[in-house]
Amino acid sequence: MRWLPNSPIMKGRLARRTFALLIVAASLPILVATWLIVGHTDAYVDEKAHQTLTLEAKKYGLGLFQRLDLAATALGAVSDEDLRAQSSERGVALLPTLAPYFRSVRLLTSEADAPERTASRTIVLSDDLELGATVIRVLRDENGTNAVALIAATTSGSWRVGLLRHDYLWQPASVAGELFVRVSDGDGKVLFASLPESDQRDFKDTLDAGDRAHWELFLQQRFAGGKWRIDFIQPISDIKLEFQRYKRTLIFTLVPLICVLILFSSISIRRTHRPLEALTEATNRIAAGDYQSRVTPAGDEELRSLALAFNGMTEQIGRQFETLAVLSQLDRHILKSADLEEIVQTVLKHARGMLPCDQIAVFLFDEDCPDIARLHVARYADEAITYKARVEVPEMLRTLLDSAESLVRLQAGDSGFRPMQDLVSDWQADRCFGLLPIRTDKGVQGALAIACAAAHTPNQASLDIALGLAERMAVAISNADRQHALVRQAHYDALTGLPNRVLFKDRLAQRIAHCQRSRKQFALLFIDLDRFKNINDSFGHTSGDELLKGVAARFKEELPAMDTIARLGGDEFTIITADVESAADAANAAQATLSALVRPVLLGDIEHFVSASIGIAVYPQDGVTIDVLLRNADIAMYRAKSAGTGRFAYYEEAMNREAMERVELESELRQALARDELSVVYQPRIDLRTGAIMGVEALSRWRHPRFGMVPPDRFIRVAEDSGLIIAIGDRVLREICGQYHYWRRAGIEMRRLAYNVSVRQLQAPGFTKTVRDILERTHIPRGVLEIEITESVLATDIDYLTAVLKDLSAMGVHVAIDDFGTGYSSLSYLRMLPIDALKIDRSFLPPPGQHGAAALCEAIIAMSRALNVTPI
């Protein structure tokens, strides 16, 4: 049954089906019997209540008829003279015979009361009233409520009209307090209601839910008045209240009874089906590949026997499947030429499921030193696999492995047991183990050792599995050696161990692809040793080879940051650098390469001083393909060699001169900072309308003791590339803040201090903190400091730039765009960034007589003002 949810109590479908059938079979008769009893009783109670209420309505109606008949008899019994006498005396009460029934009685004659006759015709509605007959009519009294009147026609042609008393006619006191009575005529007009209309609205829900009954009083024959409907409503009777309490009690009794039934049914079924469910779940887990599933024997003897047989079958199948899986995984690793250490880890991880053992050890001999081995030990009791990179293998153990055909059984007292115990110190003397050599075409390369308790000696099937593992590991070692040799032969230089031309070109292609995606640049260094031919001619090719190996070792030792160092052949080496930002970075890499060769290379007892010539080709300006970069770097190398030994040169001569000048200028600039040669000059900012000085712009100047004034466009660029601009900028900011207070003391008020900030400063970590610290330490008011940035800054990381500028703006620092219109010139950042001013580039200033340039300036000014940015 799909509708019964899976639960921890009823897991099996059979158990859920049995449980559902039992619950239905047990609870259905109870529920049906309860439903029938309650239904019939409820119907009987409703019927009895309706009958009682109908009798009450009939009783009330008959009494009402009797009261009408008595009033009509009394009205007909008085004489006209008595009524006239009553009418002639104002204020006289009704006749004693009429007072109990009527609140007013009038006599209407034919001639004397002509106007009143007209009114009486309206009441009577007909002149065909039989003499001596009495009719009943419903009138609107002076209070605007419905009132009942009796009208009797006399033989003298007059009419007696009597308005019945409300309390006499309806007698509301005779109605029980819990009953609601309503009398209405044939037109549905309510004549009497025991509950006022306002109270009816308050008790509407109670009245709607109560019992109802009605009885019709026919007045046509006696009073020519049609029929009246008498409605009796009882909100709820006592017997129904008792029955509702009975139903609630019955429900509260049935629910616990059914719950107890469900509980005992589930317990009984669970005890019966639990062993079957356990077997089913275990079978499903085995089908899903979980061969560790076991079933706890429970239930009857037959079920316990079935559980024990199932556990034995699962254990055997699981061991066989795990063995096949591990062997298959080893075969895949071997075919993929996987790392040998990974294969060993796989064997140790899964061997416990294949072999009845406590510990397994694998040791592999070192190729260069047979007395040293790499040892892996799996201790299954601790669920740990340990590794030792270097352990000494006893000579006795190596001799034992060399002489063994396949399996060596060792027990306490055997000659090889003590060396094995020394090798793996935690193997106890009460254990025995089998030692299987791992043999390849090169001889014994290691061994597989299996340790177990003496009482659990492995059977032949387990030994066959162990032999299969050892053979596979031997194949893996051979395959790894072969693959390694092929890779080394194909991609590495046999003499120096560096990447050869094939691997170098592959690395260079990868580097080009990477920089093409990231839009970065790198440098290719082509290195040729100076006067290497003299070494070969003077000391022989053997010494030349040793020198090449020494140079390669020096490069690997001194230049770890280089991406790739390769030997193309002869005395030619190449280096692929990491990403470079400028030509100066490539020059630094070349200088580091030359510095690595400063120390002499020792050949025997003779020290040889080696120098090299280096050609530099920078991607992408000097080439975007492998062949072009190599050719241009080779050309640059010959240019450097022609200039002398121990030099480097760029592919472009102009770039070479510029690089050398930049290197020299950077060195001089570092010394200038130490010697305090930099100074600050101030360019005033004047209001053309008033001629007043609004502020100043701070400019850095460098007076060199030998070169004189160095132009800012020369040393600022070098400072930015080398990172010195950060120190220069901080120094300028501190100086202009101090100068601001000097001017204030002298009575000069400066509203704005402006200085230029570069991209490197904005991107430097902690730039905003440095500015905040200087402003707080020097007490510069908010709104005085202004930083000027060029449009090229906007082509960097705009998100980071926005965050920095917003932090500065929050500190009260104004931001201005310098040389607007000559750089990035995107109008969107004027809206996105907190920019306060635009400095229009001087190239836009109109020469005399050129109106086009003036119009462009006016357009920029109008745009700035529209964006609430001050044009300068």
Side-chain angles (χ1 to χ4, degrees):
M1 291 188 176
R2 304 292 295 177
W3 53 268
L4 193 63
N6 292 329
S7 65
I9 299 177
M10 296 293 166
K11 294 183 179 179
R13 182 179 298 177
L14 178 60
R16 294 195 297 273
R17 187 184 299 113
T18 305
F19 176 76
L21 291 175
L22 182 59
I23 293 301
V24 171
S27 60
L28 186 60
I30 298 174
L31 295 176
V32 171
T34 303
W35 178 74
L36 291 175
I37 293 172
V38 172
H40 284 287
T41 306
D42 196 11
Y44 175 77
V45 171
D46 287 343
E47 182 179 357
K48 294 300 290 182
H50 184 74
Q51 289 177 358
T52 303
L53 208 57
T54 303
L55 290 176
E56 289 292 333
K58 181 178 179 181
K59 178 181 177 182
Y60 182 80
L62 293 176
L64 181 61
F65 184 81
Q66 290 176 0
R67 289 190 290 276
L68 286 173
D69 188 62
L70 287 175
T73 303
L75 183 62
V78 297
S79 63
D80 292 346
E81 289 76 10
D82 294 336
L83 292 176
R84 289 191 187 95
Q86 172 191 284
S87 301
S88 62
E89 297 180 9
R90 293 187 177 180
V92 177
L94 290 174
L95 295 173
T97 57
L98 299 178
Y101 311 110
F102 299 98
R103 53 178 172 174
S104 64
V105 177
R106 298 181 62 185
L107 178 64
L108 303 179
T109 61
S110 56
E111 290 87 3
D113 300 323
E116 296 183 1
R117 175 177 176 151
T118 303
S120 65
R121 288 177 60 86
T122 304
I123 297 173
V124 177
L125 300 179
S126 176
D127 291 331
D128 299 333
L129 191 61
E130 296 181 5
L131 297 178
T134 303
V135 297
I136 190 168
R137 291 291 184 269
V138 178
L139 310 177
R140 300 291 286 183
D141 61 10
E142 62 274 7
N143 296 324
T145 60
N146 294 326
V148 178
L150 292 178
I151 304 171
T154 64
T155 56
S156 60
S158 61
W159 293 277
R160 298 173 184 174
V161 179
L163 195 62
L164 290 169
R165 293 172 58 92
H166 182 84
D167 53 349
Y168 165 74
L169 179 61
W170 307 116
Q171 294 188 4
S174 63
V175 181
E178 70 275 6
L179 295 177
F180 169 64
V181 180
R182 181 170 57 208
V183 181
S184 55
D185 62 6
D187 298 330
K189 189 186 309 178
V190 178
L191 305 179
F192 167 71
S194 60
L195 199 63
E197 186 176 355
S198 58
D199 294 342
Q200 293 181 34
R201 289 193 297 269
D202 296 338
F203 294 96
K204 183 178 184 303
D205 294 338
T206 304
L207 296 176
D208 291 343
D211 296 325
R212 296 172 177 269
H214 72 277
W215 189 74
E216 293 181 347
L217 176 61
F218 293 92
L219 304 175
Q220 181 65 34
Q221 185 175 2
R222 175 67 176 88
F223 296 102
K227 62 180 179 179
W228 286 0
R229 178 186 173 98
I230 302 171
D231 290 285
F232 263 59
I233 302 175
Q234 187 177 23
I236 187 166
S237 61
D238 293 338
I239 187 170
K240 295 194 71 173
L241 287 173
E242 291 296 331
F243 184 68
Q244 288 181 359
R245 285 193 289 270
Y246 165 74
K247 287 195 292 186
R248 287 195 295 269
T249 304
L250 185 62
I251 292 174
F252 290 147
T253 305
L254 285 177
V255 170
L257 180 61
I258 294 176
C259 291
V260 171
L261 177 64
I262 292 173
L263 177 62
F264 281 102
S265 299
S266 61
I267 294 174
S268 176
I269 294 173
R270 184 62 179 158
R271 288 178 178 177
T272 303
H273 289 269
R274 183 178 298 166
L276 295 178
E277 291 175 0
L279 286 171
T280 303
E281 291 178 0
T283 305
N284 293 332
R285 289 196 296 270
I286 291 175
D290 181 12
Y291 299 104
Q292 302 299 323
S293 299
R294 298 294 183 269
V295 177
T296 302
D300 297 335
E301 183 177 355
E302 294 81 1
L303 292 175
R304 287 198 295 270
S305 300
L306 180 61
L308 293 175
F310 178 85
N311 291 338
M313 178 193 68
T314 302
E315 183 176 1
Q316 184 177 2
I317 294 176
R319 184 178 294 110
Q320 292 177 354
F321 272 96
E322 187 170 0
T323 300
L324 293 176
V326 172
L327 295 178
S328 176
Q329 188 174 3
L330 289 176
D331 292 339
R332 286 197 302 271
H333 286 331
I334 293 172
L335 292 175
K336 291 190 303 184
S337 301
D339 184 75
L340 188 59
E341 302 298 331
E342 182 180 355
I343 296 177
V344 173
Q345 292 291 324
T346 303
V347 170
L348 295 179
K349 182 178 180 181
H350 298 285
R352 177 64 182 275
M354 299 183 293
L355 301 173
C357 57
D358 299 327
Q359 294 176 338
I360 292 182
V362 174
F363 49 91
L364 304 175
F365 299 143
D366 190 277
E367 291 185 14
D368 300 327
C369 184
D371 295 334
I372 302 298
R374 303 188 302 276
L375 178 64
H376 301 259
V377 180
R379 297 172 176 84
Y380 298 113
D382 301 332
E383 296 183 356
I385 298 177
T386 60
Y387 170 71
K388 294 181 180 179
R390 293 177 59 86
V391 295
E392 294 185 6
V393 181
E395 181 65 26
M396 182 181 298
L397 187 59
R398 284 195 56 86
T399 303
L400 184 63
L401 291 174
D402 289 336
S403 61
E405 290 294 332
S406 58
L407 174 66
V408 178
R409 296 178 182 268
L410 295 178
Q411 294 181 351
D414 294 341
S415 59
F417 184 82
R418 176 56 61 181
M420 193 65 200
Q421 192 177 25
D422 293 338
L423 188 64
V424 185
S425 58
D426 58 349
W427 279 4
Q428 305 299 324
D430 61 346
R431 298 185 179 182
C432 64
F433 54 84
L435 196 62
L436 295 91
I438 301 175
R439 183 177 282 106
T440 67
D441 52 357
K442 294 182 180 180
V444 177
Q445 301 294 312
L448 174 67
I450 304 171
C452 59
H456 298 87
T457 303
N459 54 24
Q460 187 60 42
S462 299
L463 294 178
D464 292 340
I465 293 174
L467 289 172
L469 291 176
E471 291 174 357
R472 281 173 168 79
M473 293 182 65
V475 173
I477 292 174
S478 300
N479 189 48
D481 292 342
R482 184 166 53 255
Q483 293 293 333
H484 182 70
L486 291 175
V487 170
R488 296 288 305 178
Q489 182 179 356
H491 297 93
Y492 289 88
D493 179 54
L495 179 64
T496 62
L498 294 175
N500 59 11
R501 181 181 292 269
V502 175
L503 184 56
F504 163 74
K505 287 190 173 183
D506 181 70
R507 298 273 182 87
L508 183 57
Q510 295 179 19
R511 194 68 184 154
I512 291 173
H514 167 73
C515 290
Q516 187 177 13
R517 291 191 303 268
S518 60
R519 296 185 178 181
K520 294 183 179 181
Q521 56 184 2
F522 69 93
L524 174 62
L525 309 184
F526 197 102
I527 306 168
D528 186 84
L529 301 182
D530 296 328
R531 297 186 296 273
F532 179 73
K533 185 174 182 300
N534 296 338
I535 300 294
N536 281 334
D537 294 343
S538 302
F539 297 95
H541 289 280
T542 302
S543 296
D545 291 344
E546 292 297 323
L547 179 65
L548 292 176
K549 289 195 291 185
V551 169
R554 187 73 56 79
F555 282 163
K556 289 189 287 186
E557 177 185 355
E558 300 287 342
L559 305 174
M562 298 301 174
D563 187 71
T564 299
I565 304 173
R567 181 191 177 209
L568 298 187
D571 61 338
E572 294 179 343
F573 297 85
T574 54
I575 293 178
I576 303 173
T577 69
D579 296 338
V580 297
E581 298 292 338
S582 62
D585 294 336
N588 293 336
Q591 187 62 47
T593 304
L594 295 176
S595 300
L597 299 176
V598 170
R599 291 186 292 110
V601 178
L602 187 63
L603 297 179
D605 296 332
I606 303 175
E607 292 183 344
H608 291 269
F609 289 89
V610 183
S611 63
S613 298
I614 302 176
I616 303 174
V618 180
Y619 174 88
Q621 52 263 41
D622 294 337
V624 295
T625 64
I626 296 175
D627 295 336
V628 173
L629 281 173
L630 269 175
R631 183 194 64 197
N632 293 340
D634 192 16
I635 294 174
M637 183 272 296
Y638 279 107
R639 183 179 295 160
K641 190 177 286 290
S642 63
T645 61
R647 296 178 180 272
F648 63 87
Y650 287 95
Y651 172 67
E652 292 290 343
E653 185 61 31
M655 187 184 298
N656 184 44
R657 289 196 302 271
E658 180 184 354
M660 298 304 297
E661 291 176 1
R662 288 173 65 86
V663 171
E664 183 180 2
L665 191 62
E666 179 181 345
S667 176
E668 291 290 337
L669 183 59
R670 293 182 184 276
Q671 297 180 20
L673 285 174
R675 294 193 297 259
D676 199 18
E677 294 176 1
L678 296 177
S679 61
V680 179
V681 298
Y682 299 91
Q683 177 177 314
R685 185 182 297 174
I686 300 173
D687 189 346
L688 296 179
R689 293 171 296 184
T690 62
I693 297 178
M694 301 173 57
V696 294
E697 178 181 357
L699 303 173
S700 296
R701 294 295 182 263
W702 179 18
R703 182 180 295 277
H704 194 274
R706 289 187 296 111
F707 303 143
M709 291 298 297
V710 180
D713 56 351
R714 288 191 58 195
F715 75 87
I716 293 297
R717 180 70 178 274
V718 174
E720 289 182 348
D721 293 340
S722 61
L724 295 174
I725 192 65
I726 298 175
I728 295 174
D730 294 344
R731 184 172 181 173
V732 170
L733 180 57
R734 285 192 295 268
E735 184 169 342
I736 65 176
C737 290
Q739 185 66 32
Y740 172 81
H741 289 289
Y742 174 81
W743 282 329
R744 290 195 66 179
R745 289 191 296 270
I748 302 173
E749 189 67 27
M750 286 294 173
R751 288 185 293 171
R752 192 63 47 86
L753 294 177
Y755 85 114
N756 295 279
V757 176
S758 69
V759 180
R760 294 291 294 270
Q761 288 177 270
L762 290 175
Q763 293 178 340
F767 172 72
T768 55
K769 182 178 183 303
T770 301
V771 174
R772 182 185 294 105
D773 293 341
I774 294 176
L775 293 179
E776 291 177 354
R777 191 164 54 249
T778 56
H779 305 289
I780 299 298
R782 290 176 61 89
V784 172
L785 183 64
E786 180 182 275
I787 65 169
E788 295 183 2
I789 59 176
T790 60
E791 287 184 299
S792 60
V793 174
L794 305 172
T796 60
D797 186 355
I798 192 66
D799 294 332
Y800 181 80
L801 173 66
T802 302
V804 172
L805 294 183
K806 286 183 177 180
D807 290 342
L808 293 173
S809 180
M811 289 188 287
V813 178
H814 288 263
V815 180
I817 300 296
D818 197 10
D819 301 332
F820 177 77
T822 61
Y824 191 62
S825 295
S826 173
L827 300 181
S828 62
Y829 65 77
L830 295 178
R831 178 177 54 84
M832 296 168 51
L833 300 178
I835 296 173
D836 303 292
L838 293 180
K839 295 185 66 177
I840 303 174
D841 189 75
R842 66 179 61 189
S843 62
F844 291 98
L845 295 178
Q850 292 189 9
H851 300 288
L856 185 57
C857 256
E858 292 175 358
I860 295 176
I861 293 173
M863 178 195 67
S864 302
R865 289 174 177 171
L867 294 174
N868 199 22
V869 177
T870 304
I872 301 176

